[in-house]
Structures are given as structure tokens and as C-alpha cells.
Amino acid sequence: MAKERTIVSPVPFPETKPFWEAAAQGKLLLRHCTACGETYFYPRMICPFCFSDKTEWREAAGTGTIYSLSVTRRAEVPYAIAYVTLAEGPTMMTNIVDCDLDAIAIGQKVKLVFKPSEDGQAVPMFTPA
Ligand SMILES: [Zn+2]
């Protein structure tokens, strides 16, 4: 089996604690603004579009498309960092994992997976759908 890359543990802040708790249960949460209707990532209490505080958590479907991609091969364990545009609209920076790094491309459909960080926190990542 290929060596797994060490994933640095995220530091949960009060604002993102529910996000990481949901991740531990295999769910990706997004923040939705009920004032303007936008859904956004990274999660924060104040809507970045209209500055309303009328925001709530919504579970993402876990599907998306690779918007941009950067493969780092000169590392102990090569890895791919990508911006993935989620089905709900927001784009998130993430890793593309469990695949041939030479076979992934911009525009490719991906789906959500979770990988444990150093301290066991599940971190949302994506793999080809
Ligand atoms: Zn808003």
C-alpha cells in the first residue's frame, strides 16, 4: 500500500466547531444565508455576501467539480491541492486523494471523502467520482 501523507490537524475555532464535529460523522457542512440565499465556504457566522447574521448550517451533497489543480510531485508523498466547486455553488480548497495524480484534470467530477489528520480529526477531501 502506498505511503499516506500526514495531514496537519485543523484547529477548530468556536465558529467552526460544528463543522469539524459534522466532519467526524462524515458530513460536510456549508453555511447558508437565509437573508440573501447564498451558500458559502469557509464557514463563518456573518454572510460574506450581504453581512447578515441570519445564517445556518446546511449539509452539502458532497459532489463537485475540479476548478483548479496543483500537483506537487517533489514531496515524500506526492499530493494534489485543488479548488473544488461544490454542487451547492461555493468553491473550497481541498486535496484530491485516492487516485492516480496524473489522471486527474480540471473539470473532472469529484466526490467527498474524509481523511484522518495527525490527531484523528476527519478532514474533508475529494476523490474522482
Ligand atoms: Zn447573505
Side-chain angles (χ1 to χ4, degrees):
M1 189 178 154
K3 191 173 189 308
E4 293 283 333
R5 190 168 70 100
T6 303
I7 300 163
V8 176
S9 298
V11 179
F13 292 96
E15 217 176 17
T16 56
K17 197 161 172 276
F19 176 86
W20 293 112
E21 285 172 354
Q25 293 164 20
K27 293 176 184 174
L28 175 64
L29 293 187
L30 300 172
R31 206 71 196 160
H32 177 79
C33 175
T34 58
C36 74
E38 293 282 353
T39 302
Y40 55 90
F41 187 89
Y42 195 78
R44 59 214 118 156
M45 296 303 127
I46 302 295
C47 172
F49 294 94
C50 73
F51 306 109
S52 170
D53 63 357
K54 293 182 172 47
T55 61
E56 63 188 20
W57 294 108
R58 291 226 177 141
E59 187 181 346
T63 56
T65 306
I66 298 175
Y67 174 76
S68 75
L69 180 68
S70 173
V71 177
T72 299
R73 292 188 177 79
R74 290 186 172 213
E76 191 185 356
V77 183
Y79 60 95
I81 291 177
Y83 280 96
V84 167
T85 303
L86 301 172
E88 291 79 9
T91 296
M92 66 183 279
M93 193 173 88
T94 184
N95 285 204
I96 308 298
V97 296
D98 298 339
C99 62
D100 177 356
L101 296 181
D102 293 318
I104 50 179
I106 289 167
Q108 193 168 353
K109 301 279 185 208
V110 289
K111 64 180 183 204
L112 181 67
V113 291
F114 286 89
K115 291 289 175 182
S117 69
E118 289 171 298
D119 69 0
Q121 169 67 56
V123 178
M125 296 187 174
F126 286 81
T127 192

